[in-house]
């Protein structure tokens, strides 16, 4: 089996404590093998409970295909570009942290 990353889902998060868990749940519940996609969450210096919620979600769900970076606030474009630079997928999907995918 080829373990190439096909899709990189990039989520920029800033002060989205009320939405981030639903967003993450929707991203990990895909119809493709978890080894074929990665989720990159860029916490852009949130001042609420967003960082703790993200870290707890990853630990609780044993989500090995999620990478989280906590960085100083630089704005949504800065966070997205940071995620794009880390991505390994053939395709990119930019998801807002207050949205979810089906």
């Amino acid at each position: 089996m080829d373990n190439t990353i096909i899709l990189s889902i990039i989520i920029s998060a800033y002060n989205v404590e009320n939405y981030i868990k639903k967003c993450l749940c929707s991203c990990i519940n895909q119809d493709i093998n978890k080894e074929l996609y990665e989720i990159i969450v860029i916490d852009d210096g949130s001042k609420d409970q967003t960082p703790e919620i993200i870290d707890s979600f990853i630990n609780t769900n044993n989500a090995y295909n999620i990478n989280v970076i906590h960085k100083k606030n630089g704005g949504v474009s800065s966070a997205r570009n940071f995620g794009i630079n880390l991505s390994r997928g053939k395709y990119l999907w930019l998801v807002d942290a207050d949205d979810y995918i089906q």
Side-chain angles (χ1 to χ4, degrees), residues 13-52:
Y14 179 75
N15 291 346
V16 287
E17 66 185 8
N18 294 326
Y19 310 101
I20 190 65
K21 187 173 179 182
K22 184 174 183 178
C23 178
L24 290 171
C25 284
S26 74
C27 290
I28 65 167
N29 291 317
Q30 297 302 304
D31 292 343
I32 62 174
N33 187 319
K34 289 191 184 323
E35 294 177 2
L36 298 178
Y37 70 98
E38 66 180 349
I39 300 169
I40 302 170
V41 184
I42 307 299
D43 168 42
D44 195 32
S46 295
K47 298 185 185 312
D48 63 0
Q49 294 298 305
T50 298
E52 291 82 3

Side-chain angles (χ1 to χ4, degrees), residues 72-85:
K72 182 179 176 184
N73 182 266
V76 67
S77 295
S78 168
R80 286 181 178 160
N81 288 332
F82 199 93
I84 289 169
N85 287 334

Side-chain angles (χ1 to χ4, degrees), residues 43-87:
D43 168 42
D44 195 32
S46 295
K47 298 185 185 312
D48 63 0
Q49 294 298 305
T50 298
E52 291 82 3
I53 293 168
I54 295 168
D55 292 341
S56 175
F57 181 89
I58 293 170
N59 292 332
T60 303
N61 291 282
N62 195 20
Y64 63 87
N65 64 333
I66 299 180
N67 296 316
V68 62
I69 305 297
H70 301 284
K71 71 175 212 55
K72 182 179 176 184
N73 182 266
V76 67
S77 295
S78 168
R80 286 181 178 160
N81 288 332
F82 199 93
I84 289 169
N85 287 334
L86 295 175
S87 67

